[in-house]
Amino acid sequence: TYIIAEPCVDVLDKACIEECPVDCIYEGNRMLYIHPDECVDCGACEPVCPVEAIFYEDDVPEQWRDYTPANYEFFNDL
Ligand code: SF4
C-alpha cells in the first residue's frame, strides 16, 4: 500500500483523490488517508501530490514512520 505522511496535514490538496483509480483515498479531519486493503499499488497518486506526502509503504521516510500505522488505524476506527 501507499501511505500518506505529515506533509498532507492541514493541506488536503486532494489531487491524489482525482487520480486514484479505485477511490481508496479518504478524508480525515486534518489529512487524507489511503485504505491499505483497497490500494492496488498503482502509484498514480504519488507524483500528483503537490507537497510530496505520498510514499510506498517501504519508502516512508524515517521521520514520518508513525504515519504508516496511522493510515491503517484510521480505518480500524471507522
Ligand atoms: Fe490509489 Fe494507486 Fe495511490 Fe493506491 S497507489 S492510493 S490505488 S492511486
Side-chain angles (χ1 to χ4, degrees), residues 49-75:
C49 177
V51 292
E52 298 184 26
I54 306 176
F55 301 89
Y56 182 63
E57 186 170 29
D58 293 342
D59 298 330
V60 177
E62 180 67 21
Q63 71 268 32
W64 296 327
R65 60 186 296 174
D66 292 348
Y67 283 83
T68 298
N71 276 249
Y72 281 85
E73 287 161 12
F74 176 75
F75 297 99

Side-chain angles (χ1 to χ4, degrees), residues 1-4 16-17 19-25 33-35 38-46 54 56:
T1 184
Y2 277 69
I3 297 293
I4 300 180
C16 57
I17 291 178
E19 290 298 319
C20 182
V22 294
D23 294 331
C24 69
I25 306 177
Y33 296 92
I34 294 173
H35 196 307
E38 298 178 0
C39 175
V40 296
D41 289 348
C42 73
C45 55
E46 183 184 355
I54 306 176
Y56 182 63

